[in-house]
Amino acid sequence: MSTETKEEIRQKYNHKELPKVKNWFLYTYRSFLKLFFIAFFGIGSVVLAVLVFPWIRVFVHPKQKFQEKARAFVSASFRMFINFMRATGIIKLVVDDRAAYKNLHSKVLVANHPSLLDFVFIMSMVPNANCIVRGGLANGILGGVIRQCYIVNTLDFDELCRLCKETLDDGCNVIIFPEGTRSPRHGTNPYKKGAARIAYYAKCGVQPILVGGNDKYGLGKHDPTWSFNHEEPMIYAFKLLPEIKIDEYAELPESIAAKRLTEKMQEVIFSAIEENEKYYKTNRDKKVAPEV
């Protein structure tokens, strides 16, 4: 359980540094669309769970094949959802190498977690991916999708590792956010060792991913419901970082390997975050971003 005080939490997530809203019409438009898309996403998830997945289950056997097809369908649905958001102009997407994401196999994918949409973007780009998700979501509006396709973190850890290894051995990937929750606006969350322990157990490489771009205010943790980036659409810039080979840690005892592997993940991702923040701070006034 977190031991942070209310004041510490307030400091980590405060947004006093944001500039004032200059165009209230655009700000209201983007905030409204954000809420619309959250509702749209929830309704779409129910439709998938109730109307689509049962038909896939009828025609696709066994369970393993069903899960692969269902996750591929979810990935395609997420791409449609993101393209819909892009068409309205509230987000922009920048990807370093789209083909490289599709060609990822048997990797533990780890990423920073600045916003509510990070999972959706990564799943849309990596069609053959499983994900460890918060158990509480399995009892919510997304429960029908999650329970049938993904791995919940409320399982016994040995069972969770076994399921992840089965997924990885089949050539699929596993997405994990090492922080375990969305990143704070200020400071950092400590990286948990779960991703490293799974990679060590499955003897597979770790592929760090940067979720970069500009400020994600409105989709971060503790952000007000009616809020959005004060100045511009949200830019999501994704970059594949250097892969961390498990061979360098395979001969170490598990506890030491997990510690060092977690430290390496954090080092690689934090370095990329610093470069991203420097880039967007330098080019904010110029509204410069890499070509999509």
Side-chain angles (χ1 to χ4, degrees):
M1 183 179 294
S2 174
T3 58
E4 290 181 320
T5 65
K6 289 184 178 180
E7 177 60 23
E8 289 173 333
I9 293 174
R10 189 184 69 80
Q11 290 298 326
K12 285 177 69 174
Y13 293 96
N14 83 75
H15 51 272
K16 291 181 179 178
E17 80 285 358
L18 289 176
K20 293 182 179 179
V21 176
K22 294 181 179 179
N23 188 324
W24 277 99
F25 174 79
L26 280 177
Y27 179 77
T28 303
Y29 167 77
R30 291 164 181 160
S31 297
F32 172 80
L33 279 180
K34 181 198 78 171
L35 297 178
F36 167 79
F37 280 114
I38 290 174
F40 182 85
F41 186 88
I43 294 170
S45 298
V46 172
V47 171
L48 285 178
V50 176
L51 299 180
V52 177
F53 283 7
W55 284 105
I56 298 177
R57 187 180 290 277
V58 168
F59 294 105
V60 180
H61 301 281
K63 182 179 179 180
Q64 176 188 339
K65 291 294 183 182
F66 159 75
Q67 290 178 331
E68 290 176 5
K69 293 295 183 182
R71 287 195 293 262
F73 193 93
V74 169
S75 178
S77 299
F78 284 177
R79 286 195 295 275
M80 180 196 72
F81 176 76
I82 289 168
N83 286 332
F84 189 10
M85 292 187 73
R86 293 173 67 190
T88 64
I90 67 168
I91 66 166
K92 296 181 180 179
L93 176 61
V94 179
V95 184
D96 55 342
D97 184 353
R98 291 177 185 271
Y101 291 86
K102 294 180 180 179
N103 292 326
L104 290 171
H105 298 284
S106 299
K107 298 288 189 294
V108 173
L109 310 181
V110 295
N112 56 314
H113 196 9
S115 83
L116 196 63
L117 289 177
D118 307 329
F119 160 72
V120 177
F121 276 98
I122 296 174
M123 282 294 299
S124 73
M125 295 186 292
V126 186
N128 59 331
N130 206 328
C131 186
I132 297 177
V133 296
R134 184 162 51 86
L137 293 176
N139 299 319
I141 194 168
L142 306 181
V145 174
I146 290 169
R147 285 192 297 271
Q148 295 182 69
C149 294
Y150 304 108
I151 302 171
V152 295
N153 64 3
T154 50
L155 294 172
D156 175 79
F157 191 74
D158 290 338
E159 175 66 7
L160 187 147
C161 284
R162 185 188 66 80
L163 292 174
C164 287
K165 188 176 187 305
E166 286 183 0
T167 292
L168 293 161
D169 287 346
D170 289 335
C172 294
N173 305 284
V174 175
I175 303 170
I176 303 174
F177 296 106
E179 292 174 89
T181 186
R182 276 171 281 171
S183 309
R185 292 186 60 81
H186 308 282
T188 61
N189 290 322
Y191 273 33
K192 299 179 180 180
K193 298 178 183 176
R197 291 176 63 189
I198 290 169
Y200 181 89
Y201 179 85
K203 297 297 183 286
C204 68
V206 176
Q207 176 59 67
I209 298 174
L210 170 69
V211 183
N214 62 359
D215 197 307
K216 306 299 187 298
Y217 178 62
L219 292 174
K221 193 170 184 179
H222 298 302
D223 288 349
T225 301
W226 184 270
S227 61
F228 201 85
N229 184 304
H230 282 190
E231 295 184 298
E232 58 191 344
M234 291 184 190
I235 300 172
Y236 278 86
F238 289 85
K239 182 178 181 181
L240 288 177
L241 304 174
E243 181 183 342
I244 303 171
K245 303 289 187 180
I246 197 62
D247 295 346
E248 301 176 27
Y249 307 88
E251 301 302 321
L252 297 172
E254 180 184 356
S255 59
I256 297 176
K259 181 176 184 295
R260 292 185 182 176
L261 188 52
T262 301
E263 289 172 349
K264 183 63 175 178
M265 290 182 213
Q266 189 164 335
E267 175 190 331
V268 170
I269 293 175
F270 278 16
S271 176
I273 291 173
E274 288 180 359
E275 289 183 11
N276 174 83
E277 290 178 348
K278 185 183 299 183
Y279 176 87
Y280 279 91
K281 183 178 181 180
T282 302
N283 293 286
R284 178 184 297 167
D285 294 335
K286 302 175 185 178
K287 297 293 186 290
V288 173
E291 291 297 325
V292 177

